[in-house]
C-alpha cells in the first residue's frame, strides 16, 4: 500500500497487471522468465512514488511502512494526561518484564537447539566412525549421505510448504523492519516453529551454514509475539498489553530480541548489544541500551545454568565448551613491529576476499531465483542437491589426506575416534591421525574449534588446509540461498580461518604469532570484509576467544578489511536487501541528493490530496476507494487566528491516517450537520488502543446512501504535530531527518505564505527518498552521479 497521499490511483498499467499476476501465482517466484543474472529480482514501475514490491519469503508482497511516530491527536493527549502514577509504573515494569522474558525464552530455545544438534550430529558421526573402523566405506558413505539427505529434506519441506519466510537468516528482514518497513509474516508463530526445527535439521545435516542468523530471527519472533500478546489469530486481550499495541514499542522489543539472538549464538552478551546497535537497529536511545543489555544478561545466565547441568553428563553428547566456545586464552600473545606486516596482509586479503565473496554470492542468488521460480519441487531438489554434494565431499575428501603420526607433545589424546577432537584416526593405522577428517567429519562448531587450536603448529598439513579452504569457499557460495534456515556467520568464519591458518603456516619462521591466532584473525578479517562490521565484531571475537590481548591486532585487521571491502561493493546484508527489493533507507544520502530540493520532488508528483477538518462522508469514501495512500493532510480554510483579527487564514491542522478514517467509517462517527465535536464525544466513540489497529480495510465497511450525505469531524483523530519541512530543503537533509526520527510521512510546506498559496506542497514518504526512484524521475542526476564516481 502506498504511504502518502500525493496522487490519485491510476488505471492499472500492463506492468502493474503483470506484477499482480505474479503475486497471485503460488508456484512461481517473482523473477520474470526472461530475466538474466544482471537484472534486479523485482521489476519496478518507473515512477517517483510507487507501491513498493519486495520479496518476502517466497512471494512478492506489497509493503507498508511502520508508524514509529507518536500520533499526537486529541485522544492520545487525553490518555497521556489522564494516566495515573500506577499506570506509568505498570508501563515501565512491563517493558522490563518483556525484556527479561525475551532473554529467558531465547536462552531456553537456544539451549534446546544446541542440545538437539549436538546429539543428532554426534550420534551420526559416531556411527560413521564404526563404519570406517570396520572398513565398510561404501556403507558409511550411503549412511552418511542418507541421514543428511533426510535431515535436509525435513528442513526444506517445513520452509517450502509451511513458512517460506523462515528460509535464510532473517537478519536482512529484521534490519528492514527496524528501519521502518513492515515485512509481512516475518514474526509469526508458524515462522518461529519452522525456524527452530528447520535450523536443527539443516545444521545437523552438516550443511555449510550456522544457527546464528536463525537464532536472531527466532529471538525476534519471540519478542514480537510477546509484545502483541501471541499469534494474530489467538492474541491475548490482557489490558496491560494494550500499552504495546503500537509499532514504536514493538520495535523496541524486537531490538531486544535481535541482540538476545546474537548473544545466544556466540554467548557474547556485550557483542549482542553492540550488534543490535551497529548492524540492525536504525533508531537507538539510552533506555533501549539498558533493556537490551538486560535481555542478553538473562540469556547468558540461562546458558551458563544449562552448561553446568550438562557437565554432569545429563545432556547426552552435548559439549562442555562453557561460555567461551573457541577458547584461545592459553596462548601467549606477544608480537613485535614486524608482526604487524602479516596482520596488515590478513586485513587486506580479508577485504578483498570478502568483497569477492559478496560479488559472487550476489550472482549465485540471482541464479537460485531463476531455479526457484520454477516451483516448490525445484526448491526442494536444489536443497537436496546441495546436501548430497556436501555429504560426498565431507566423507570422501579425507581419503586424499595422508595419515600423520601422533606427536607426544600434543595436548589432547591422539588419535581419537570420538565425534570431536583434533586428531581423528579415520582410516589411519594406530598412532596416526587424519588431519582433514578432523576438520570435515565433525560439526561446524567443532571444525572452527579445531582450526583455532593453538600450540599445535605441526597439527595440520598445508595441503589439508588448502583443501578445507577451497571446499568451504564452494560450499559457502552454493549453500546460502537454498530453502532452509541458514546463517552466514559460521560459513564465513570457516573460510576465513582456513586462509588465516594457511597464511600462518607460510609465515611461521618469520613471526611470533601462533597459527591458531592467524586463524582467528583470518576469520575476523573475512567477516569484516563481507559484513562490514567493526565494533560489535571485535567484541564478539574477544568474547568468543577469551583473549583480551588480541584486541589491538583484531582492531587493525577489522579496520583494514572493512576499508578495503567498502572500496568495491556493499555489505552482504545490504546486497540481500537490494535483491529482495526491501526499501531500506541507508544512513548516508547520495552526494547528488544535495543538488535537489524536496520541492522539486513534490513537483514531480501529482497534486497532494487533502481533506477538510469537517468532511463529507462521500468525499472520504471516494478518496479511500480511489487512492492507495496512507495519510492525508487536514487543511481548514477561513480560520480565525487566535490573538488577531484575521478571519480568512488557512490552517494546516495536521495529518490523519487511512486506518483512522476507516475506523471512523466503521464506528459510524457521522454528524447530520457540519459542526465541530467536543472532546468527550470523541472519547465515548474511540479509544487510542483501537486507533492503533490497522487491519481493517475500506472494502469491509458498508456505508449507506443516506450516510454518504452526512459529515465526519476529523479534528479529534488528526495528528496535530506532524513533521514538516520547507520546500527549499535539500533531499539529502530531508532523508537524514526522515531516517533518524523514524518517520512514515513528512509534510512539505511552502516557503512563501500568502493568498492563493496552498498550505501543503506535498508529502514525502520512504519510496520518494530512495535513490532508485529519484533517478527514474530525474535521469540527469544519474550522469552527475557517474561524474562524481570518476572524480
Amino acid at each position: 500500500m502506498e504511504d502518502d497521499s500525493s496522487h490519485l490511483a491510476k488505471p492499472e498499467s500492463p506492468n502493474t497487471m503483470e506484477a499482480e499476476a505474479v503475486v497471485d501465482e503460488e508456484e512461481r517466484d517473482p523473477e520474470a522468465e526472461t530475466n538474466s543474472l544482471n537484472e534486479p529480482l523485482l521489476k519496478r514501475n518507473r515512477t517517483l512514488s510507487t507501491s513498493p514490491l519486495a520479496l518476502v519469503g517466497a512471494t512478492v508482497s506489497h509493503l507498508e511502512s511502520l508508524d514509529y511516530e507518536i500520533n499526537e491527536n486529541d485522544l492520545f493527549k487525553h490518555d497521556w494526561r489522564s494516566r495515573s502514577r500506577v499506570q506509568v509504573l505498570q508501563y515501565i515494569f512491563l517493558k522490563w518484564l518483556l525484556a527479561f522474558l525475551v532473554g529467558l525464552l531465547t536462552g531456553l530455545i537456544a539451549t534446546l537447539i544446541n542440545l538437539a544438534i549436538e546429539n543428532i550430529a554426534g550420534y551420526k558421526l559416531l556411527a560413521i566412525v564404526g563404519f570406517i573402523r570396520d572398513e565398510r566405506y561404501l556403507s558409511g558413505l550411503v549412511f552418511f549421505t542418507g541421514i543428511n539427505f533426510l535431515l535436509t529434506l525435513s528442513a526444506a519441506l517445513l520452509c517450502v510448504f509451511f513458512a517460506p519466510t523462515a528460509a535464510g537468516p532473517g537478519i536482512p528482514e529484521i534490519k528492514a523492519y527496524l528501519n521502518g518497513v513492515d515485512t509481512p509474516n516475518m514474526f509469526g508463530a508458524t515462522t518461529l516453529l519452522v525456524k527452530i526445527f528447520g535450523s536443527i535439521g539443516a545444521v545437523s545435516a552438516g550443511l555449510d551454514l550456522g544457527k546464528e542468523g536463525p537464532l536472531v530471527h527466532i529471538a525476534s519472533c519471540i519478542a514480537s509475539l510477546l509484545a502483541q500478546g501471541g499469534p494474530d489469530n489467538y492474541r491475548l486481550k490482557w489490558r496491560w498489553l494494550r500499552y504495546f499495541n503500537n509499532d514504536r514499542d514493538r520495535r523496541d522489543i524486537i531490538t531486544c530480541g535481535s541482540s538476545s539472538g546474537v548473544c545466544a549464538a556466540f554467548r557474547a552478551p556485550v557483542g549482542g548489544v553492540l550488534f543490535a546497535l551497529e548492524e540492525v537497529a536504525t533508531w537507538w536511545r539510552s533506555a533501549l541500551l539498558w533493556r537490551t543489555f538486560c535481555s542478553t544478561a538473562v540469556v547468558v545466565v540461562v546458558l551458563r545454568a544449562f552448561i553446568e547441568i550438562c557437565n554432569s553428563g545429563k545432556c547426552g553428547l552435548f559439549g562442555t565448551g562453557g561460555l567461551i566456545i573457541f577458547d584461545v586464552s592459553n596462548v601467549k600473545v606477544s608480537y613485535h613491529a614486524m608482526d604487524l606486516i602479516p596482520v596488515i596482509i590478513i586485513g587486506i586479503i580479508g577485504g578483498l576476499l570478502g568483497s569477492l565473496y559478496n560479488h559472487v554470492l550476489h550472482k549465485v542468488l540471482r541464479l537460485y531465483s531463476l531455479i526457484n521460480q520454477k516451483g516448490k519441487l525445484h526448491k526442494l531438489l536444489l536443497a537436496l542437491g546441495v546436501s548430497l554434494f556436501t555429504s560426498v565431499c565431507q566423507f570422501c575428501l579425507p581419503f586424499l589426506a595422508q595419515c600423520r603420526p601422533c606427536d607426544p607433545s600434543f595436548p589432547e589424546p591422539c588419535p581419537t575416534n570420538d565425534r570431536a577432537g583434533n586428531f581423528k584416526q579415520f582410516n589411519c593405522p594406530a598412532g596416526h591421525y587424519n588431519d582433514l577428517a578432523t576438520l570435515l567429519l565433525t560439526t561446524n562448531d567443532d571444525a572452527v574449534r579445531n582450526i583455532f587450536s593453538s600450540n599445535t603448529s605441526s597439527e595440520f598439513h598445508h595441503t589439508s588446509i588448502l583443501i578445507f579452504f577451497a571446499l568451504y569457499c564452494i560450499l559457502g557460495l552454493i549453500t546460502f540461498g537454498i530453502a532452509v534456515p541458514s546463517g552466514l556467520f559460521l560459513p564465513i568464519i570457516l573460510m576465513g580461518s582456513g586462509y588465516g591458518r594457511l597464511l600462518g603456516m607460510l609465515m611461521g619462521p618469520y613471526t611470533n604469532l601462533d597459527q591458531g591466532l592467524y586463524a582467528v584473525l583470518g576469520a575476523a578479517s573475512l567477516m569484516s570484509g563481507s559484513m562490514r562490521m567493526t565494533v560489535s565484531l571485535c567484541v564478539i571475537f574477544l568474547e568468543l576467544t577469551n583473549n583480551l590481548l588480541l584486541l589491538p591486532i583484531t582492531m587493525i585487521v577489522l579496520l583494514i578489511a572493512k576499508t578495503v571491502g567498502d572500496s568495491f561493493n556493499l555489505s552482504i546484508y545490504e546486497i540481500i536487501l537490494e535483491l529482495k527489493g526491501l526499501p531500506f533507507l541507508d544512513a548516508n544520502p547520495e552526494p547528488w541528493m544535495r543538488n535537489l530540493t524536496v520541492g522539486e520532488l513534490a513537483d514531480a508528483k501529482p497534486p497532494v490530496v487533502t481533506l477538510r477538518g469537517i468532511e463529507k462522508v462521500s468525499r472520504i469514501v471516494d478518496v479511500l476507494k480511489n487512492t492507495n495512500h496512507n495519510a492525508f493532510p487536514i487543511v481548514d480554510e477561513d480560520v480565525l487566528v487566535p490573538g488577531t483579527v484575521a478571519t480568512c487564514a488557512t490552517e494546516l491542522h495536521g495529518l490523519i491516517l487511512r486506518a483512522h478514517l476507516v475506523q471512523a467509517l466503521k464506528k459510524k462517527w457521522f454528524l447530520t450537520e457540519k459542526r465541530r465535536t467536543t472532546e468527550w464525544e470523541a472519547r465515548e466513540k474511540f479509544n487510542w488502543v483501537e486507533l492503533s489497529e490497522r487491519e481493517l480495510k475500506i472494502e469491509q465497511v458498508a456505508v449507506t446512501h443516506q450516510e454518504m450525505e452526512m459529515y465526519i469531524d476529523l479534528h479529534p483523530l488528526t495528528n496535530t504535530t506532524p513533521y514538516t519541512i520547507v520546500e527549499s530543503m535539500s533531499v539529502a537533509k530531508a532523508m537524514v531527518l526522515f531516517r533518524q526520527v523514524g518517520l512514515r510521512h513528512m509534510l512539505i510546506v511552502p516557503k512563501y505564505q500568502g493568498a492563493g498559496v496552498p498550505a501543503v506542497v506535498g508529502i514525502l514518504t520512504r519510496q520518494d527518498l530512495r535513490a532508485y526512484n529519484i533517478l527514474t524521475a530525474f535521469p540527469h542526476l544519474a550522469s552527475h552521479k557517474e561524474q562524481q564516481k570518476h572524480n
Side-chain angles (χ1 to χ4, degrees):
M1 179 177 290
E2 185 70 40
D3 279 339
D4 69 356
S5 62
S6 55
H7 59 279
L8 294 176
K10 301 177 182 178
E12 291 184 342
S13 64
N15 288 339
T16 307
M17 296 175 66
E18 286 179 14
E20 291 181 352
V22 172
V23 176
D24 295 334
E25 191 170 356
E26 296 183 355
E27 294 296 323
R28 307 175 73 87
D29 279 340
E31 189 73 25
E33 299 249 353
T34 58
N35 196 8
S36 69
L37 299 184
N38 295 319
E39 293 178 351
L41 287 179
L42 295 172
K43 288 188 173 181
R44 306 171 190 268
N45 296 325
R46 290 187 170 273
T47 58
L48 177 60
S49 185
T50 181
S51 297
L53 291 174
L55 184 63
V56 182
T59 59
V60 176
S61 302
H62 289 273
L63 298 184
E64 290 186 8
S65 296
L66 294 164
D67 292 308
Y68 289 156
E69 181 186 359
I70 296 178
N71 199 335
E72 294 185 343
N73 53 30
D74 292 347
L75 296 171
F76 171 83
K77 293 175 182 177
H78 175 266
D79 176 78
W80 188 258
R81 291 192 301 264
S82 61
R83 281 190 184 183
S84 65
R85 183 177 180 83
V86 174
Q87 289 176 318
V88 173
L89 292 177
Q90 285 177 351
Y91 176 63
I92 296 173
F93 170 76
L94 193 56
K95 277 187 175 181
W96 285 96
L97 177 62
L98 288 179
F100 173 82
L101 290 176
V102 167
L104 177 64
L105 294 177
T106 301
L108 292 174
I109 291 176
T111 302
L112 294 176
I113 290 175
N114 283 321
L115 285 174
I117 291 173
E118 292 283 339
N119 281 282
I120 294 173
Y123 285 112
K124 176 187 68 177
L125 294 171
L126 287 178
I128 296 301
V129 170
F131 283 109
I132 299 298
R133 186 189 301 114
D134 298 337
E135 298 184 356
R136 298 165 58 193
Y137 301 121
L138 183 58
S139 299
L141 175 61
V142 173
F143 175 83
F144 187 65
T145 55
I147 291 296
N148 290 342
F149 183 91
L150 293 176
L151 290 171
T152 305
L153 178 62
S154 63
L157 284 173
L158 288 173
C159 288
V160 170
F161 290 99
F162 294 99
T165 52
I171 293 179
E173 290 82 358
I174 296 171
K175 280 174 63 79
Y177 181 89
L178 296 180
N179 190 255
V181 181
D182 187 9
T183 47
N185 303 319
M186 279 303 299
F187 304 109
T190 305
T191 302
L192 172 63
L193 294 175
V194 170
K195 202 80 175 184
I196 293 172
F197 293 103
S199 297
I200 293 173
V203 178
S204 300
L207 295 174
D208 184 25
L209 46 84
K211 54 184 179 293
E212 298 77 25
L215 275 175
V216 176
H217 192 184
I218 288 169
S220 299
C221 288
I222 293 171
S224 177
L225 291 172
L226 286 175
Q228 69 180 17
D232 291 334
N233 298 331
Y234 304 99
R235 293 171 63 177
L236 296 177
K237 299 300 182 180
W238 192 27
R239 63 185 183 89
W240 277 27
L241 287 175
R242 70 183 187 273
Y243 295 129
F244 296 91
N245 195 20
N246 61 83
D247 293 334
R248 186 183 182 90
D249 286 310
R250 189 167 174 236
R251 171 192 60 186
D252 290 353
I253 299 300
I254 290 178
T255 303
C256 292
S258 64
S259 60
S260 299
V262 174
C263 176
F266 295 108
R267 301 167 195 174
V270 180
V273 174
L274 293 176
F275 175 82
L277 172 62
E278 181 181 10
E279 185 62 21
V280 296
T282 297
W283 189 84
W284 198 267
R285 54 196 172 92
S286 58
L288 187 58
L289 180 70
W290 282 103
R291 283 197 293 277
T292 54
F293 188 68
C294 170
S295 297
T296 57
V298 173
V299 173
V300 170
V301 171
V302 173
L303 293 176
R304 182 73 258 178
F306 272 93
I307 288 172
E308 291 297 329
I309 295 174
C310 294
N311 283 338
S312 60
K314 299 178 180 179
C315 301
L317 298 178
F318 183 71
T320 59
L323 284 178
I324 308 299
I325 55 178
F326 307 137
D327 196 341
V328 293
S329 58
N330 59 339
V331 182
K332 288 187 177 180
V333 182
S334 59
Y335 43 87
H336 304 288
M338 292 300 296
D339 294 322
L340 294 179
I341 296 177
V343 169
I344 294 173
I345 294 174
I346 288 178
I348 295 174
I349 295 175
L352 293 174
L353 288 181
S355 58
L356 179 62
Y357 175 77
N358 292 357
H359 176 74
V360 179
L361 186 61
H362 188 186
K363 301 298 182 183
V364 172
L365 291 176
R366 293 191 185 280
L367 176 62
Y368 279 7
S369 70
L370 296 174
I371 298 174
N372 291 335
Q373 72 169 346
K374 299 181 183 297
K376 296 178 180 178
L377 179 61
H378 287 78
K379 293 180 182 180
L380 290 175
L381 291 177
L382 178 61
L384 296 175
V386 171
S387 175
L388 289 174
F389 177 78
T390 303
S391 300
V392 171
C393 290
Q394 289 176 337
F395 188 89
C396 296
L397 287 179
F399 288 99
L400 300 177
Q402 296 181 353
C403 294
R404 299 169 63 84
C406 293
D407 191 329
S409 64
F410 286 158
E412 296 182 10
C414 178
T416 177
N417 287 322
D418 201 357
R419 65 179 184 87
N422 283 62
F423 310 99
K424 286 195 173 182
Q425 188 173 7
F426 195 59
N427 62 330
C428 296
H432 292 70
Y433 71 98
N434 188 310
D435 57 349
L436 192 53
T438 298
L439 298 174
L440 297 183
L441 281 178
T442 185
T443 62
N444 288 339
D445 284 345
D446 284 335
V448 176
R449 189 177 292 109
N450 293 340
I451 203 169
F452 278 8
S453 61
S454 55
N455 299 322
T456 54
S457 58
S458 60
E459 176 183 353
F460 299 104
H461 192 270
H462 62 273
T463 306
S464 298
I465 295 295
L466 187 59
I467 294 174
F468 170 84
F469 172 66
L471 174 64
Y472 275 98
C473 282
I474 297 172
L475 294 180
L477 290 171
I478 67 173
T479 305
F480 187 79
I482 63 176
V484 296
S486 58
L488 277 170
F489 282 93
L490 208 57
I492 294 177
I493 289 177
L494 287 169
M495 286 186 285
S497 60
Y499 83 77
R501 185 102 189 186
L502 191 61
L503 184 61
M505 292 178 177
L506 298 176
M507 299 294 298
Y510 312 102
T511 182
N512 296 322
L513 296 179
D514 188 87
Q515 291 182 11
L517 298 185
Y518 272 100
V520 173
L521 295 176
S525 67
L526 190 59
M527 287 191 71
S528 180
S530 176
M531 298 183 176
R532 313 293 158 77
M533 295 187 297
T534 52
V535 179
S536 59
L537 198 57
C538 183
V539 174
I540 286 174
F541 265 88
L542 292 180
E543 292 183 291
L544 279 177
T545 57
N546 196 26
N547 197 328
L548 191 59
L549 297 176
L550 286 175
L551 179 61
I553 54 177
T554 303
M555 292 173 63
I556 294 173
V557 163
L558 294 176
L559 287 172
I560 294 175
K562 184 184 186 308
T563 303
V564 173
D566 284 337
S567 304
F568 292 94
N569 51 28
L570 301 173
S571 72
I572 186 60
Y573 289 134
E574 289 174 316
I575 289 175
I576 296 172
L577 284 168
E578 185 179 303
L579 283 174
K580 289 178 174 289
L582 293 168
F584 183 86
L585 287 184
D586 192 66
N588 302 310
E590 298 286 348
W592 49 264
M593 289 183 176
R594 301 192 181 279
N595 302 326
L596 189 70
T597 65
V598 294
E600 292 174 299
L601 280 186
D603 291 339
K605 303 169 65 173
V608 65
V609 176
T610 62
L611 297 174
R612 290 169 293 185
I614 303 175
E615 189 61 84
K616 207 169 185 179
V617 174
S618 58
R619 163 70 173 165
I620 295 175
V621 172
D622 180 65
V623 167
L624 292 178
K625 287 187 175 181
N626 293 294
T627 67
N628 56 358
H629 317 312
N630 230 302
F632 304 90
I634 301 298
V635 178
D636 286 331
E637 297 179 351
D638 300 331
V639 178
L640 174 64
V641 181
T644 68
V645 296
T647 59
C648 298
T650 300
E651 176 193 8
L652 173 59
H653 188 73
L655 193 70
I656 190 166
L657 298 180
R658 166 182 284 265
H660 296 172
L661 291 174
V662 177
Q663 283 281 354
L665 294 175
K666 176 191 173 184
K667 287 181 171 289
K668 306 296 182 181
W669 175 243
F670 302 149
L671 304 171
T672 56
E673 57 184 8
K674 194 174 182 180
R675 67 176 180 86
R676 291 285 293 263
T677 57
T678 58
E679 186 176 321
W680 65 267
E681 287 181 284
R683 294 202 307 269
E684 283 187 345
K685 201 75 173 180
F686 301 96
N687 62 72
W688 64 275
V689 176
E690 291 177 330
L691 291 180
S692 63
E693 300 287 346
R694 59 180 186 178
E695 287 81 10
L696 193 65
K697 308 297 180 185
I698 181 60
E699 292 77 15
Q700 301 172 280
V701 178
V703 182
T704 65
H705 180 73
Q706 183 180 1
E707 291 171 338
M708 286 286 193
E709 301 302 317
M710 301 177 76
Y711 296 91
I712 297 181
D713 182 13
L714 301 178
H715 294 99
L717 307 178
T718 301
N719 178 14
T720 57
T721 58
Y723 283 87
T724 60
I725 54 174
V726 182
E727 60 181 338
S728 57
M729 180 182 289
S730 70
V731 174
K733 193 172 183 180
M735 178 181 170
V736 172
L737 175 63
F738 192 97
R739 184 183 187 274
Q740 289 184 347
V741 182
L743 300 180
R744 184 174 186 176
H745 311 97
M746 184 183 286
L747 294 180
I748 306 174
V749 296
K751 183 178 180 180
Y752 301 99
Q753 305 291 332
V757 178
V760 180
V761 174
I763 291 184
L764 281 186
T765 66
R766 173 178 299 272
Q767 284 298 105
D768 300 330
L769 294 172
R770 298 197 67 204
Y772 177 90
N773 255 349
I774 296 175
L775 291 177
T776 58
F778 300 90
H780 67 280
L781 294 175
S783 58
H784 182 67
K785 179 181 178 182
E786 292 299 324
Q787 291 177 2
Q788 289 180 332
K789 283 185 177 180
H790 292 302
N791 294 335

